Amino acid sequence: MQPTNRTTRARRLAHAAGVLAMAAAVTVTAAPAQAAPAWGPITQVDLGVDGARANNHSVTLGVSGNGRYALFGSSATNLVPDGASLLFGLYVRDLRTGRTELVSHADDGTPLTSTGETAGISGDGRYIVFSAEANGVFNVHVRDRVTGRTRAVTNGTASGEGEGDHGSFDPAISADGRRIVFMSTRADVVPGAPVAPNTRNVYVTDRVTGATRLVSRGADGQAADGASEHPTISGDGRTVGFSSHATNLLPATDGGTAGLARPRYTTVYATSLTSGTTVVAGLTADGTPGSADPRLRLSPDGRYAAYGLSATPLPGGKSRTELFVHDLRTDRVLSIRTSANPDAICWGDASAAITADDRWIYFSGGCSDTIIRAGQARHDLYRQDLRTGRTELLSTAPDGGEQDGASLEPFVTDDGRTVLFGDNSPNLVPGGEGSDWHVYVRSPAKR
């Protein structure tokens, strides 16, 4: 079965929404920050036929850099006219016209019934990259929304596979649509490349040259001695980020990263495709490698890595991660918090998004003195100015008050003027109901 599947993501969403029930020992001492007046209302994105609200849960997957197109996945069956038979589909919504389009199609136009929950969208919204299963194996595909063609990026077959070898997954795409990164359990993606059998590795394919390159390899040219996964790529296509349990990705003189991972955590890396240099992206505040959430995000220019590090559990034993940003050029590490109080207990999700000018970071998190309701530690959506530290709360109810749920997985346009995110609050938009996860967007108010 697929390594990154809907069950895994559903569990993570459920965990993030409840992590969130913090013990009453934490005292709320300050009112929450209010959303900036310049922001317009929050609107729902996963709407379908005749503007109907999605009848099942949806997840955010990306937004085009120009802010016109939103990519999301959904188990809803009412988003397109022929969606009743879909178990899970990948969709693009035109935020200008309101049209929702199913993009998880085979080249002949047939809807694909088994797709991965990780996908990517190019900067102009033309190309969508995703994984899909056929004949018992997953491969990575890219769909051109202009021509309507879907092409395979990987061509693995079920024949000759060993136990645990199931294909290629978790793709991401550069802004220009040229480079695609993905994880694969196959040993034949790059003939002759040093990979261990049945091990997850990270690759990048150049769609112009057709060349595919192994990214997760030992510093001495040998096979990585552990699994590597959750790849991401900077918008400029020059830097690849990923997580790995391997201990030989760095030269021995760099101290190595063995023994860092706890059961839920690992080490996150960044590799320059230009120089071939790999560094630990997930550093602690003192500059040493830390135990990280396996996901990370890169800024569009590849300069900054955003990630979550394991921290002392919340009261009551709930796990907690703190959000950090690592300047890969200067090695400066910045803690991202919603409170200036050093004694506040803070938490942040690794799914943070940075604008193209490296000015703003959009993230899900909170602190014990800025949460909305006493006795809870919920993930709200914020943006923070990386230069000044000014923080704004964005996930508010229509009247500017508190939402009743949690926000996760933000994606932001290059200019930072539109943010896409997932939320399970019933009071985020007028007429909202239930606690399903849906996809929303917020932009500045029209003047």
Side-chain angles (χ1 to χ4, degrees):
M1 65 182 291
Q2 180 190 2
T4 303
N5 54 30
R6 285 182 282 284
T7 300
T8 300
R9 184 144 187 180
R11 287 174 179 169
R12 190 173 64 77
L13 291 175
H15 168 77
V19 76
L20 304 178
M22 189 176 180
V26 175
T27 303
V28 176
T29 59
Q34 293 300 310
W39 287 90
I42 295 170
T43 57
Q44 188 169 341
V45 172
D46 56 334
L47 300 175
V49 179
D50 297 325
R53 184 176 171 89
N55 60 11
N56 211 327
H57 77 275
S58 305
V59 294
T60 59
L61 294 172
V63 64
S64 60
N66 59 17
R68 177 162 182 177
Y69 301 103
L71 173 66
F72 66 95
S74 184
S75 296
T77 58
N78 63 336
L79 299 180
V80 292
D82 56 349
S85 62
L86 294 173
L87 297 177
F88 184 82
L90 305 177
Y91 300 86
V92 166
R93 185 170 179 85
D94 188 326
L95 298 178
R96 185 183 303 171
T97 67
R99 178 176 179 266
T100 298
E101 168 192 356
L102 179 70
V103 292
S104 47
H105 282 289
D107 192 46
D108 62 2
T110 304
L112 295 166
T113 59
S114 184
T115 59
E117 268 205 9
T118 302
I121 185 170
S122 62
D124 60 2
R126 175 172 180 171
Y127 299 104
I128 307 297
V129 64
F130 61 93
S131 62
E133 185 269 341
N135 300 319
V137 63
F138 272 80
N139 278 297
V140 173
H141 304 267
V142 61
R143 181 166 180 81
D144 185 332
R145 295 180 52 243
V146 173
T147 66
R149 302 302 301 270
T150 300
R151 300 296 190 187
V153 177
T154 63
N155 291 289
T157 65
S159 61
E161 291 187 348
E163 182 178 356
D165 193 1
H166 300 291
S168 304
F169 313 89
D170 297 348
I173 191 168
S174 60
D176 62 2
R178 175 172 177 169
R179 292 185 174 92
I180 294 171
V181 293
F182 58 94
M183 180 274 290
S184 184
T185 58
R186 298 185 62 87
D188 59 354
V189 174
V190 178
V195 296
N198 301 324
T199 301
R200 298 178 184 183
N201 280 284
V202 172
Y203 300 86
V204 60
T205 292
D206 186 321
R207 295 180 57 233
V208 173
T209 67
T212 297
R213 170 178 169 183
L214 172 66
V215 177
S216 55
R217 60 190 306 159
D220 58 0
Q222 300 300 308
D225 60 9
S228 301
E229 51 195 335
H230 299 287
T232 187
I233 190 167
S234 59
D236 63 10
R238 297 178 181 178
T239 306
V240 173
F242 62 97
S243 63
S244 183
H245 287 281
T247 63
N248 65 334
L249 299 184
L250 303 181
T253 54
D254 288 356
T257 54
L260 280 176
R262 302 178 186 180
R264 288 186 60 245
Y265 301 97
T266 183
T267 306
V268 290
Y269 296 88
T271 295
S272 167
L273 296 180
T274 303
S275 68
T277 303
T278 295
V279 298
V280 176
L283 299 181
T284 63
D286 62 9
T288 59
S291 294
D293 183 292
R295 300 162 299 137
L296 79 159
R297 297 270 191 93
L298 296 171
S299 61
D301 62 3
R303 176 171 178 173
Y304 294 94
Y307 52 93
L309 294 183
S310 172
T312 303
L314 294 168
K318 298 294 184 181
S319 62
R320 176 171 69 104
T321 56
E322 293 183 356
L323 180 62
F324 292 88
V325 170
H326 177 191
D327 185 333
L328 299 173
R329 185 181 303 170
T330 67
D331 258 352
R332 179 176 179 239
V333 176
L334 182 66
S335 175
I336 306 299
R337 297 163 56 90
T338 61
S339 171
N341 177 6
D343 296 324
I345 299 173
C346 296
W347 52 93
D349 191 72
S351 61
I354 299 174
T355 53
D357 62 0
D358 295 328
R359 178 72 182 267
W360 294 93
I361 182 170
Y362 291 70
F363 66 99
S364 169
C367 281
S368 59
D369 61 352
T370 56
I371 57 176
I372 291 171
R373 186 175 295 121
Q376 289 189 352
R378 185 181 61 244
H379 283 75
D380 287 299
L381 180 67
Y382 296 87
R383 79 167 187 164
Q384 184 172 114
D385 189 325
L386 291 173
R387 300 176 189 172
T388 68
R390 181 167 66 91
T391 303
E392 301 172 11
L393 175 65
L394 298 180
S395 53
T396 57
D399 61 1
E402 67 225 44
Q403 64 158 334
D404 291 336
S407 300
L408 283 174
E409 304 276 3
F411 292 88
V412 67
T413 55
D414 287 344
D415 61 8
R417 294 175 60 83
T418 298
V419 58
L420 185 79
F421 63 100
D423 200 288
N424 69 344
S425 174
N427 70 331
L428 203 63
V429 295
E433 58 184 19
S435 58
D436 263 343
W437 288 93
H438 292 289
V439 179
Y440 300 90
V441 67
R442 192 165 198 180
S443 300
K446 296 181 179 179
R447 297 181 180 180

